[in-house]
C-alpha cells in the first residue's frame, strides 16, 4: 500500500482489529491510472502543501477504501469515481469542495435521482469508468482478488 499506513480500528463489541487504508488513483490524460499517495492528497486538501502539477486542473480520481484484519490481505470495501478540482496553486479547490457538499446535502433526500442537485452532482463531480477502466482499477487495487475474498464483475 502506498501513502500512509493503515488506520487500525476495533469494531464495537468485537475482538478483531481491522486495518483501513485509503487509496487514490488519478487518471492521466493518456488514460493511465497513477497512484496519488494519501498523504499528498491530505496535504493538498488541508492547505498545508500544494501539488503543483495539478494546479488549475480537474482530475478524474478513483477514491478507494480497503479493509482487512491483521495478517490478511486487504479487500476493497468502497470505490468512488469522482472529479477533483485543484485551484491555481495546486491545492484542492475549497469552493468546489463546498459546492459538492452542498449538492450532496441537497440531493440526499432524492432517492430516485431526479433532482437538479443530483444531476449537477453527477455531472460536475462524478465520472463513469469504461469497462476496461473499471477492470484496471480493480486490478490495481487488488491484483489477486481470491486472496482476500473473491469478487466478480457483471
Amino acid at each position: 500500500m502506498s501513502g500512509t499506513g493503515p488506520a487500525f480500528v476495533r469494531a464495537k463489541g468485537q475482538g478483531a482489529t481491522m486495518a483501513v487504508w485509503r487509496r487514490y488513483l488519478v487518471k492521466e490524460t493518456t488514460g493511465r491510472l497513477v497512484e496519488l499517495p494519501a498523504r499528498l492528497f491530505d496535504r493538498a486538501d488541508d492547505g498545508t502543501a500544494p501539488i503543483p502539477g495539478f494546479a488549475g486542473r480537474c482530475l478524474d480520481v478513483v477514491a478507494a477504501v480497503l479493509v482487512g484484519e491483521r495478517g490478511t490481505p486487504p479487500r476493497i470495501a468502497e470505490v468512488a469515481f469522482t472529479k477533483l478540482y485543484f485551484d491555481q496553486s495546486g491545492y484542492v479547490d475549497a469552493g468546489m469542495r463546498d459546492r459538492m457538499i452542498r449538492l450532496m446535502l441537497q440531493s440526499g433526500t432524492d432517492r430516485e435521482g431526479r433532482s437538479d442537485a443530483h444531476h449537477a452532482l453527477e455531472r460536475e463531480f462524478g465520472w463513469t469508468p469504461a469497462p476496461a477502466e473499471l477492470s484496471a482499477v480493480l486490478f490495481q487495487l487488488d491484483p489477486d482478488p481470491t486472496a482476500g475474498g473473491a469478487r466478480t464483475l457483471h
Side-chain angles (χ1 to χ4, degrees):
M1 299 285 142
S2 67
T4 58
F8 293 97
V9 294
R10 185 178 307 273
K12 189 173 184 177
Q14 303 282 327
T17 300
M18 299 291 290
V20 179
W21 291 267
R22 292 176 300 123
R23 290 195 51 199
Y24 301 98
L25 305 173
V26 175
K27 183 175 151 184
E28 293 183 328
T29 55
T30 63
R32 188 170 74 106
L33 295 166
V34 294
E35 191 90 25
L36 172 60
R39 63 178 161 51
L40 292 181
F41 169 78
D42 290 344
R43 294 174 69 193
D45 190 38
D46 68 15
T48 57
I51 304 173
F54 295 167
R57 296 178 56 197
C58 171
L59 301 173
D60 290 345
V61 175
V62 179
V65 175
L66 289 85
V67 297
E69 292 184 30
R70 287 184 190 249
T72 65
R75 63 184 196 285
I76 299 169
E78 182 178 336
V79 178
F81 299 89
T82 187
K83 292 180 184 176
L84 188 59
Y85 295 85
F86 288 84
D87 65 19
Q88 294 303 315
S89 298
Y91 294 103
V92 172
D93 188 308
M96 291 302 285
R97 182 183 51 229
D98 291 347
R99 176 167 172 68
M100 180 182 68
I101 292 168
R102 278 194 307 276
L103 290 171
M104 290 171 77
L105 292 171
Q106 291 170 359
S107 67
T109 58
D110 178 18
R111 302 226 184 267
E112 296 179 18
R114 295 185 182 150
S115 71
D116 290 340
H118 179 82
H119 292 297
L121 186 62
E122 284 184 348
R123 183 178 58 254
E124 295 177 38
F125 297 99
W127 64 282
T128 303
E133 291 172 320
L134 182 58
S135 292
V137 164
L138 293 175
F139 180 78
Q140 197 160 343
L141 294 173
D142 187 8
D144 185 8
T146 58
R151 60 166 156 56
T152 56
L153 296 179
H154 298 280

